[in-house]
């Protein structure tokens, strides 16, 4: 599932940013040449949890000067909230074929990861402190091949995330409530983290919510092994939210075709199974909300490094097997929209203020004042 789905995302992104006339001739060959590392995977040592005691190992942590996790859009009052710890796993930001995994000090990958962090994790800084580890993420090219190298790259990335999660728990102590947040490749690792490090463990009782966004989660074959139920109510704590955003007219067949060819966490085929679709405006599954109910969308600048917060731009409704449809493409979004009207890059920023309110409601339901 991991390779196939991220292969799709990589393919879509390349299509959007490359010369389409060339890709009509030799799409797969060019992508493989441009993005798959030419060398064999070379085993790298695991990062130990205590390595994450170094502040340089984090894109964001509460004691970091100029912490990007504290960013808020103009007009939004910054908050200082110490009751919740937020563990955020960023999406893929390394597209270099020089290595199967991103070096921790890769400037371009870290800069793009910080851009994603500002548009995603900051929705939670009204209720908690943001912790966002650097990790040796798998490069996009790892998802364009069935070579064993790609699986090794994904496993290394996950082990980094797991080590960072160990240090995160050490730093926050045994009692602080937790919100888990991921997107795309980050949600792939978050889903595994839920299976291996949360399900059936005492820490599960400390999870306010897990936002596994931009990644398909089958209600039948995946959810039962992830340790938490799907969020059914907006005032429910200890549950999982997930969605994938498309504008109208939406063409989701490229995702469903891949999804239906994979095997779920329980060893059964995902074919035909429904996916979790949480409406981030209402905080409930399978629901519909008008644009007027959207408290604020982050409309990005051309370089994606800042944004303005505009209410009432985007509606949301869960449709079909579990895709979130947002109506016509909203104004201000002209770049990074993927084929099929896929708004994958903007899964969080489309609903930034509603997600902010959602996290606060779930923290209150958890028992925090």
């Amino acid at each position: 599932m991991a390779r196939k789905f991220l292969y799709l995302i990589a393919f879509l992104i390349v299509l959007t940013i490359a010369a389409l006339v060339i890709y009509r001739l030799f799409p797969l060959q060019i992508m493989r040449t441009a993005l798959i590392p030419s060398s064999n995977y070379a085993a790298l040592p695991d990062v130990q949890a205590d390595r994450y005691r170094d502040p340089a190992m984090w894109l964001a942590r509460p004691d970091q000067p100029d912490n990007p996790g504290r960013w808020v859009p103009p007009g939004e009052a910054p908050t200082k909230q110490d009751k919740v710890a937020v563990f955020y796993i960023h999406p893929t930001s390394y597209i270099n074929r020089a290595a199967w995994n991103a070096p921790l000090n890769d400037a371009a990958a870290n800069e793009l990861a910080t851009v994603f962090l500002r548009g995603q994790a900051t929705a939670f800084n009204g209720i908690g402190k943001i912790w966002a580890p650097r990790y040796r993420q798998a490069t996009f090219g790892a998802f364009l091949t069935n070579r064993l190298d790609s699986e090794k790259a994904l496993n290394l990335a996950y082990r980094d995330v797991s080590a960072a999660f160990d240090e995160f728990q050490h730093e926050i102590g045994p009692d602080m409530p937790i919100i888990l947040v991921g997107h795309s490749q980050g949600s792939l690792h978050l889903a595994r983290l839920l299976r291996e490090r949360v399900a059936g463990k005492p820490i599960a009782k400390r999870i306010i919510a897990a936002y596994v966004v931009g990644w398909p989660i089958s209600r039948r074959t995946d959810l039962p092994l992830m340790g938490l139920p799907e969020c059914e109510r907006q005032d429910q704590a200890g549950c999982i939210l997930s969605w994938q955003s498309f504008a109208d007219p939406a063409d989701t067949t490229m995702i469903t075709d891949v999804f239906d060819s994979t095997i779920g966490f329980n060893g059964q085929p995902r074919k035909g199974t429904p996916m979790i679709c949480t409406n981030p405006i209402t905080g409930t599954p399978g629901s519909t909300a008008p644009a007027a109910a959207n408290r604020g969308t982050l409309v990005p600048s051309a370089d994606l490094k800042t944004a303005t917060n505009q209410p009432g731009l985007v509606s949301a409704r869960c449709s079909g097997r579990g895709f979130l449809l947002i109506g016509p493409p909203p104004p201000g979004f002209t770049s990074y929209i993927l084929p099929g009207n896929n708004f994958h890059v903007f899964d969080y920023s489309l609903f930034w203020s509603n997600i902010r309110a959602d996290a606060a409601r779930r923290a209150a339901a958890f028992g925090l004042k």
Side-chain angles (χ1 to χ4, degrees):
M1 173 61 178
R3 285 198 302 271
K4 289 182 178 179
F5 183 70
L6 282 175
Y7 172 99
L8 170 65
I9 295 301
F11 178 74
L12 294 177
I13 289 175
V14 170
L15 278 179
T16 2
I17 63 176
L20 294 180
V21 64
I22 297 176
Y23 276 86
R24 288 191 185 102
L25 299 176
F26 306 105
L28 188 56
Q29 297 93 320
I30 290 176
M31 282 193 299
R32 285 177 169 167
T33 300
L35 297 175
I36 297 176
S38 57
S39 61
N40 292 329
Y41 180 88
L44 298 171
D46 283 353
V47 168
Q48 300 303 313
D50 59 4
R51 173 82 183 276
Y52 279 95
R53 294 178 187 171
D54 181 356
M57 291 290 289
W58 298 83
L59 291 169
R61 52 180 285 158
D63 58 357
Q64 183 182 46
D66 301 321
N67 183 354
R70 296 194 186 102
W71 179 88
V72 290
E76 184 78 32
T79 57
K80 191 173 183 179
Q81 180 58 263
D82 297 329
K83 295 179 181 178
V84 176
V86 179
F87 187 76
Y88 166 76
I89 312 168
H90 68 77
T92 307
S93 61
Y94 185 67
I95 315 176
N96 199 322
R97 68 190 297 267
W100 287 96
N101 293 87
L104 289 168
N105 62 352
D106 187 277
N110 287 330
E111 181 179 0
L112 183 54
T114 301
V115 169
F116 286 130
L117 185 152
R118 280 195 295 266
Q120 298 178 352
T122 58
F124 302 92
N125 67 18
I127 192 64
K129 300 181 288 188
I130 309 298
W131 296 76
R134 305 181 194 275
Y135 68 99
R136 291 173 293 180
Q137 60 186 285
T139 184
F140 265 136
F143 312 114
L144 302 177
T145 175
N146 287 325
R147 289 166 57 181
L148 184 60
D149 299 303
S150 63
E151 184 177 346
K152 292 177 179 178
L154 277 173
N155 286 334
L156 178 72
Y158 172 74
R159 292 197 299 272
D160 279 8
V161 169
S162 184
F165 190 61
D166 283 339
E167 180 58 23
F168 165 76
Q169 292 181 73
H170 173 77
E171 294 272 359
I172 68 173
D175 301 315
M176 182 172 284
I178 296 167
I179 291 176
L180 300 173
V181 181
H183 187 254
S184 200
Q185 183 179 165
S187 283
L188 162 66
H189 300 311
L190 177 52
R192 184 173 174 183
L193 200 72
L194 286 163
R195 291 179 61 196
E196 297 183 2
R197 304 297 308 280
V198 174
K201 307 291 195 302
I203 194 173
K205 296 180 180 179
R206 295 168 58 191
I207 306 300
I208 293 173
Y211 294 78
V212 192
V213 177
W215 192 265
I217 302 296
S218 169
R219 285 190 172 116
R220 295 179 189 168
T221 67
D222 300 330
L223 182 64
L225 296 181
M226 293 174 67
L228 300 173
E230 178 182 359
C231 293
E232 299 284 350
R233 306 183 316 275
Q234 63 176 213
D235 62 350
Q236 180 181 355
C239 55
I240 293 173
L241 304 87
S242 181
W243 64 87
Q244 302 169 85
S245 308
F246 283 78
D248 293 327
D251 182 357
T252 63
T253 55
M254 292 186 72
I255 289 181
T256 53
D257 286 350
V258 173
F259 184 74
D260 283 347
S261 69
T262 61
I263 301 299
F265 293 163
N266 66 356
Q268 299 299 312
R270 292 187 173 103
K271 185 174 182 178
T273 63
M275 294 170 276
I276 295 178
C277 179
T278 312
N279 187 325
I281 294 180
T282 65
T284 57
S287 58
T288 298
N294 190 322
R295 300 187 182 194
T297 293
L298 295 184
V299 179
S301 61
D303 60 5
L304 297 183
K305 293 185 178 180
T306 189
T308 58
N309 195 20
Q310 299 183 28
L313 286 184
V314 179
S315 63
R317 70 185 191 277
C318 288
S319 178
R321 289 176 56 190
F323 290 99
L324 187 72
L325 304 185
I326 66 170
F333 290 83
T334 57
S335 301
Y336 309 103
I337 300 169
L338 308 182
N341 266 336
N342 187 343
F343 272 65
H344 177 78
V345 174
F346 304 104
D347 280 324
Y348 279 95
S349 55
L350 288 168
F351 311 102
W352 190 88
S353 290
N354 286 86
I355 296 168
R356 196 170 181 82
D358 185 87
R361 277 195 309 268
R362 297 190 192 281
F366 186 84
L368 298 179
K369 302 298 184 181

